[in-house]
Amino acid sequence: MVLAPKWQVLASKLGDKTFWRMGELVCDSKGGVYFSDDFGTYFVNAKGNVSLVVGKEVRTNGMMLSRDEKTLYVTNGKTLVAWDVQPDGTVKNQRDFATLEAGGSGDGMAIDSEGRLYVTSGDPGIQVFSPEGKYLGVIPLPRSSSSVAFAGPNKKTLYAKGAGMTGPDGREYRTPEGVRNNAKAIYKVDMLAQGFKGRPK
């Protein structure tokens, strides 16, 4: 893990296991980072001390901290899992927090100023949950969604990444046989809700 403005490696392994294919992350206000790789979800504090949040039995794609940083949320297939964050950044009390009622599997995650969670879920779109875990509805997208973030003036724009894209000629972008098509489209959604300003994402 590398954090700016001072570039330094905080951690590269837990015990004798080197981190591999690292994915999502969320930073706390104390210089710590929660992140995932193929083998689990971890926390590294500002001093570089690493602890395991949960092993690969929870398949973390998206993750987010509550506004007060007292709860860590991660996606796990069709559910959202939550933990209570301790003063030192470690977690306890793992529990299922919500279910993706519109279908799909959870991926990217964002939070708004009221504590609502926005979770991309593939074809259904972006599913929205209250701070208590109640399903509030879905924001559909033209393509399968995988990442989401609030940005723009006053954080009132929701940006989402969808699978695939059309080229300048209006045709669907295709790759040669055997070559993975990793083309993406970015969607901009004007919101009444406002993203949480206490964190970049």
PDB file of all heavy atoms in Angstrom, residues 20 23 33 37 42 46 72 141 170 183:
ATOM      1  N   TRP A  20      -1.625 -10.343  -2.882  1.00  0.00           N
ATOM      2  CA  TRP A  20      -1.715 -10.729  -4.279  1.00  0.00           C
ATOM      3  C   TRP A  20      -3.005 -10.196  -4.891  1.00  0.00           C
ATOM      4  O   TRP A  20      -4.069 -10.378  -4.339  1.00  0.00           O
ATOM      5  CB  TRP A  20      -1.669 -12.253  -4.393  1.00  0.00           C
ATOM      6  CG  TRP A  20      -1.861 -12.765  -5.776  1.00  0.00           C
ATOM      7  CD1 TRP A  20      -2.958 -13.407  -6.280  1.00  0.00           C
ATOM      8  CD2 TRP A  20      -0.941 -12.650  -6.865  1.00  0.00           C
ATOM      9  NE1 TRP A  20      -2.783 -13.710  -7.590  1.00  0.00           N
ATOM     10  CE2 TRP A  20      -1.544 -13.255  -7.986  1.00  0.00           C
ATOM     11  CE3 TRP A  20       0.323 -12.094  -7.007  1.00  0.00           C
ATOM     12  CZ2 TRP A  20      -0.923 -13.323  -9.229  1.00  0.00           C
ATOM     13  CZ3 TRP A  20       0.940 -12.158  -8.247  1.00  0.00           C
ATOM     14  CH2 TRP A  20       0.323 -12.772  -9.327  1.00  0.00           C
ATOM     15  N   GLY A  23      -7.308  -5.357  -4.422  1.00  0.00           N
ATOM     16  CA  GLY A  23      -8.489  -4.776  -5.065  1.00  0.00           C
ATOM     17  C   GLY A  23      -8.929  -3.484  -4.418  1.00  0.00           C
ATOM     18  O   GLY A  23      -8.263  -2.458  -4.485  1.00  0.00           O
ATOM     19  N   VAL A  33      -5.722   1.961   6.459  1.00  0.00           N
ATOM     20  CA  VAL A  33      -6.365   1.552   5.211  1.00  0.00           C
ATOM     21  C   VAL A  33      -6.939   0.152   5.367  1.00  0.00           C
ATOM     22  O   VAL A  33      -6.253  -0.755   5.848  1.00  0.00           O
ATOM     23  CB  VAL A  33      -5.355   1.543   4.042  1.00  0.00           C
ATOM     24  CG1 VAL A  33      -6.060   1.202   2.739  1.00  0.00           C
ATOM     25  CG2 VAL A  33      -4.628   2.867   3.915  1.00  0.00           C
ATOM     26  N   ASP A  37      -7.455  -8.504  -1.044  1.00  0.00           N
ATOM     27  CA  ASP A  37      -6.776  -9.199  -2.133  1.00  0.00           C
ATOM     28  C   ASP A  37      -7.487 -10.532  -2.337  1.00  0.00           C
ATOM     29  O   ASP A  37      -8.579 -10.747  -1.798  1.00  0.00           O
ATOM     30  CB  ASP A  37      -5.270  -9.338  -1.887  1.00  0.00           C
ATOM     31  CG  ASP A  37      -4.895 -10.391  -0.843  1.00  0.00           C
ATOM     32  OD1 ASP A  37      -5.796 -11.019  -0.251  1.00  0.00           O
ATOM     33  OD2 ASP A  37      -3.685 -10.584  -0.611  1.00  0.00           O
ATOM     34  N   TYR A  42      -8.086  -6.918   4.835  1.00  0.00           N
ATOM     35  CA  TYR A  42      -7.101  -6.576   5.844  1.00  0.00           C
ATOM     36  C   TYR A  42      -7.256  -5.123   6.303  1.00  0.00           C
ATOM     37  O   TYR A  42      -7.891  -4.310   5.646  1.00  0.00           O
ATOM     38  CB  TYR A  42      -5.681  -6.733   5.282  1.00  0.00           C
ATOM     39  CG  TYR A  42      -5.439  -8.041   4.589  1.00  0.00           C
ATOM     40  CD1 TYR A  42      -5.705  -8.178   3.229  1.00  0.00           C
ATOM     41  CD2 TYR A  42      -4.939  -9.146   5.273  1.00  0.00           C
ATOM     42  CE1 TYR A  42      -5.482  -9.376   2.577  1.00  0.00           C
ATOM     43  CE2 TYR A  42      -4.710 -10.345   4.635  1.00  0.00           C
ATOM     44  CZ  TYR A  42      -4.991 -10.459   3.283  1.00  0.00           C
ATOM     45  OH  TYR A  42      -4.771 -11.650   2.640  1.00  0.00           O
ATOM     46  N   ALA A  46      -1.433   3.282  10.403  1.00  0.00           N
ATOM     47  CA  ALA A  46      -0.459   4.254   9.898  1.00  0.00           C
ATOM     48  C   ALA A  46       0.986   3.834  10.162  1.00  0.00           C
ATOM     49  O   ALA A  46       1.896   4.311   9.492  1.00  0.00           O
ATOM     50  CB  ALA A  46      -0.739   5.626  10.507  1.00  0.00           C
ATOM     51  N   LEU A  72     -17.489  -0.838   9.351  1.00  0.00           N
ATOM     52  CA  LEU A  72     -16.906  -1.180   8.061  1.00  0.00           C
ATOM     53  C   LEU A  72     -17.902  -2.068   7.329  1.00  0.00           C
ATOM     54  O   LEU A  72     -18.399  -3.044   7.887  1.00  0.00           O
ATOM     55  CB  LEU A  72     -15.587  -1.939   8.248  1.00  0.00           C
ATOM     56  CG  LEU A  72     -14.945  -2.504   6.966  1.00  0.00           C
ATOM     57  CD1 LEU A  72     -14.460  -1.370   6.054  1.00  0.00           C
ATOM     58  CD2 LEU A  72     -13.807  -3.461   7.314  1.00  0.00           C
ATOM     59  N   LEU A 141     -28.781   1.230 -14.830  1.00  0.00           N
ATOM     60  CA  LEU A 141     -27.820   1.745 -15.802  1.00  0.00           C
ATOM     61  C   LEU A 141     -27.959   0.954 -17.096  1.00  0.00           C
ATOM     62  O   LEU A 141     -28.402  -0.196 -17.076  1.00  0.00           O
ATOM     63  CB  LEU A 141     -26.394   1.620 -15.273  1.00  0.00           C
ATOM     64  CG  LEU A 141     -26.008   2.478 -14.071  1.00  0.00           C
ATOM     65  CD1 LEU A 141     -24.578   2.163 -13.646  1.00  0.00           C
ATOM     66  CD2 LEU A 141     -26.150   3.960 -14.365  1.00  0.00           C
ATOM     67  N   GLY A 170     -20.367   4.708 -33.166  1.00  0.00           N
ATOM     68  CA  GLY A 170     -21.636   4.233 -32.623  1.00  0.00           C
ATOM     69  C   GLY A 170     -21.765   2.728 -32.550  1.00  0.00           C
ATOM     70  O   GLY A 170     -22.785   2.211 -32.095  1.00  0.00           O
ATOM     71  N   ALA A 183     -13.213  -2.960 -22.194  1.00  0.00           N
ATOM     72  CA  ALA A 183     -13.721  -1.610 -22.461  1.00  0.00           C
ATOM     73  C   ALA A 183     -14.806  -1.254 -21.444  1.00  0.00           C
ATOM     74  O   ALA A 183     -15.577  -2.109 -21.009  1.00  0.00           O
ATOM     75  CB  ALA A 183     -14.287  -1.535 -23.869  1.00  0.00           C
TER      76      ALA A 183
END
